[in-house]
Amino acid sequence: MPEFDDGIINLGALTDPRGSEDKEKDYHEAEVVAAAAKPVDWREKKQPEGYQHDLDNRTWRRFLRRNQDGSATCVAQTGAKLLGVEEYIENGKYLDFSARDIYEHRINKTWNGGEGMVGTDAGDIMTKHGATLETLVPSQDMSEAQINATFRRSKTDVELAQIFRAGGYLQPSFDIEAIASVIERTQKAVMVWFRFAGKEWNEVPQVISGASAVLHHSVAAVDFTLWQGKRALVIDESWQPNAGMNGQRVITEDFFNARNTFRMYLVSRDNFAKVEGTTQRPMYRFSQPLEFIPWDEETDKPANGVLDVRQKADVIALQHILKFEGLFPVGTDSTGYYGAITAKAVDAFQRKYSIDFPAALDELKGKRVGNKTIAKLNSLYGA
C-alpha cells in the first residue's frame, strides 16, 4: 500500500487534497445532519450465524462478504455495499454491485499513483452514475493492477448502473448516536472511515497509547449494539475480510471518537418526492436574509457559529417549506444548518419561481435567501 506525504498508508480512504475552489465545482449534495430527537434503542446484540439483512433486537445485521484483496478500493467496496442495502430496503432484494464500476470513475486517477478514493467523490459517482452488477463487472479478490486493467463498459452496464444510482448523499454528525440513529430510522448502512495502527484493528479495536495511526480505511457500519455496556457500531470489513468476527468488527464509542475521520450515507431518489397534499402546509413569515455557512472539517462545526445560531429557527422553517415543495430530502432532519443540501434546494426554489435572471442565479448557487426570495416565500407560506 502506498504511503503519502502525511505518513498515512492508504487502504483506499483518500483525503481530498484539492482546494475549496476546486471542490465547489463538484456535484455535491453533502450536508451534515443531526441525530433524530428520539433516542436510539441501544441494547446488547450478538452476531448471527449467517447473513442477516433485517434489523433485529437480538442479533446484528451481516451482509455479503467483500474482499478488496491487494487493491485500494475500500471506499468503492463500501459504496457498493451501501447501494446493495439501498436496493434491499426499496425492493426486498440485496444485490451485489461492482466496486470496480465505482472505482473506475474516480477523480484521483492521476494523484499519488491513482490509488484510493475521496469519500464525497464516491458519493458523487453513486449519485451520477450508480453502479452495475458484480456479475457483469467483477471487482472481488483483485489486486490494484487487476482492478485498474482496461475493461469495456457495455451499454447494458451503463443503463443498469443508472437504474441503481442513488438520489444523493448526506454526512451525519461526528457522533455515534447520529450514526446509530441513521441506521435505526432508515435501515441504511453508513460509510465510516478510521485512522488506526495495525495492531489496534482487532475484533473490537482498541486505542493503544503511543501507537502510530497510519492506516486509513473505509468500512460499512451496518448495525449498532451495546458491547460490554458501551455504545458501539457493527461494521462489515473488506480488508482482510475473514479477520475480526468472520469479517465484522465492533467499534466502541471510545474508539469511534478517537479514530473516526469521515461519515456518509446515501439518499434514495424517492426521498425528494413532492409531499404537498399529504402533509400539513407549513406557515412561516421570514424577515431577515439567510446565508450559506461552510462546514469546518477541522472543528466538525459550522464555520460561522454565531450566524448559525442566529438564523437557525428561520432555516428550520425554510427546510420544512423546501420539503413541502419536494426540493429537500423528506427523510432528513430539519437541522437549521444552511449547508450544501439546503443551498441546492434554495437554488431549485429560486429557479422554479424565477426569482432572478438565470445568470444571477448561476452565480448565487442558492447560497443566499435575499429580499426577493423572502418576498416569494412570504407570499406562498407567510403566516
Side-chain angles (χ1 to χ4, degrees):
M1 297 296 175
E3 182 173 321
F4 295 107
D5 292 339
D6 59 2
I8 300 301
I9 298 173
N10 179 33
L11 296 177
L14 181 64
T15 302
D16 192 344
R18 298 175 302 159
S20 57
E21 185 175 340
D22 287 332
K23 292 178 184 178
E24 280 289 319
K25 298 175 184 177
D26 292 344
Y27 176 88
H28 195 264
E29 287 197 354
E31 179 164 321
V32 177
V33 294
K38 182 181 178 181
V40 172
D41 182 18
W42 292 97
R43 61 179 64 199
E44 185 176 347
K45 306 176 188 178
K46 297 180 179 179
Q47 187 180 48
E49 293 184 2
Y51 294 119
Q52 179 176 312
H53 297 162
D54 293 315
L55 288 178
D56 187 280
N57 288 334
R58 294 169 295 178
T59 53
W60 62 62
R61 292 194 296 182
R62 184 165 174 250
F63 290 93
L64 188 68
R65 169 189 180 275
R66 302 192 71 87
N67 183 16
Q68 69 187 85
D69 195 25
S71 73
T73 59
C74 66
V75 177
Q77 302 286 354
T78 305
K81 178 156 288 186
L82 264 59
L83 284 173
V85 175
E86 288 289 301
E87 186 62 20
Y88 182 75
I89 293 169
E90 293 182 18
N91 297 308
K93 295 181 180 179
Y94 181 83
L95 298 181
D96 195 12
F97 290 101
S98 171
R100 190 180 185 185
D101 199 34
I102 297 171
Y103 198 58
E104 176 69 16
H105 286 96
R106 69 195 185 280
I107 60 175
N108 57 289
K109 285 185 178 181
T110 60
W111 310 345
N112 298 311
E115 296 192 12
M117 286 189 74
V118 174
T120 51
D121 183 41
D124 291 341
I125 290 166
M126 290 186 284
T127 300
K128 283 181 179 179
H129 305 288
T132 196
L133 300 174
E134 174 71 19
T135 54
L136 298 178
V137 181
S139 64
Q140 300 304 296
D141 307 294
M142 288 183 168
S143 67
E144 186 72 15
Q146 289 173 321
I147 208 99
N148 284 313
T150 301
F151 71 95
R152 178 178 173 269
R153 182 177 283 102
S154 71
K155 182 179 179 182
T156 299
D157 297 334
V158 174
E159 290 177 350
L160 275 175
Q162 282 292 306
I163 291 173
F164 297 120
R165 65 188 176 86
Y169 60 94
L170 297 171
Q171 293 178 256
S173 304
F174 174 52
D175 179 358
I176 200 169
E177 180 85 11
I179 309 298
S181 175
V182 169
I183 295 170
E184 183 177 51
R185 288 185 298 129
T186 70
Q187 318 293 304
K188 298 174 184 287
V190 180
M191 179 183 291
V192 286
W193 292 12
F194 297 97
R195 278 199 175 115
F196 53 88
K199 58 185 177 181
E200 295 178 335
W201 200 237
N202 301 310
E203 288 188 353
V204 184
Q206 301 289 325
V207 175
I208 298 175
S209 178
S212 183
V214 297
L215 298 173
H216 203 196
H217 186 37
S218 171
V219 292
V222 298
D223 213 327
F224 57 92
T225 186
L226 287 177
W227 184 266
Q228 296 180 355
K230 296 180 180 179
R231 299 189 298 179
L233 301 174
V234 178
I235 60 105
D236 277 0
E237 182 65 275
S238 64
W239 177 56
Q240 300 177 339
N242 294 321
M245 302 176 185
N246 296 317
Q248 292 189 300
R249 303 183 197 273
V250 174
I251 307 295
T252 58
E253 185 171 13
D254 50 357
F255 189 86
F256 176 89
N257 291 341
R259 297 290 191 240
N260 179 251
T261 61
F262 181 79
R263 306 150 301 280
M264 182 182 77
Y265 68 98
L266 300 178
V267 176
S268 307
R269 288 190 301 277
D270 61 4
N271 214 1
F272 288 87
K274 188 175 177 62
V275 294
E276 185 174 355
T278 61
T279 60
Q280 185 175 357
R281 184 181 184 86
M283 301 296 288
Y284 193 86
R285 180 162 291 277
F286 297 87
S287 60
Q288 64 175 350
L290 305 175
E291 304 281 347
F292 168 82
I293 305 174
W295 191 260
D296 188 328
E297 295 181 2
E298 291 188 5
T299 63
D300 204 34
K301 295 178 180 179
N304 187 334
V306 174
L307 178 59
D308 181 58
V309 171
R310 188 172 71 226
Q311 65 182 24
K312 189 172 290 290
D314 285 348
V315 174
I316 289 174
L318 174 65
Q319 290 167 339
H320 288 333
I321 289 170
L322 294 172
K323 287 180 184 179
F324 189 75
E325 290 274 342
L327 306 174
F328 191 93
V330 296
T332 301
D333 297 333
S334 297
T335 64
Y337 167 62
Y338 194 152
I341 284 284
T342 304
K344 183 179 177 70
V346 167
D347 177 70
F349 179 89
Q350 290 169 335
R351 293 179 189 278
K352 177 179 179 179
Y353 292 104
S354 301
I355 299 299
D356 211 330
F357 295 109
L361 297 179
D362 288 343
E363 183 176 352
L364 188 61
K365 298 179 181 178
K367 292 186 175 182
R368 189 172 193 275
V369 174
N371 292 331
K372 293 180 181 179
T373 306
I374 287 174
K376 187 63 181 179
L377 285 167
N378 287 341
S379 71
L380 294 171
Y381 299 98

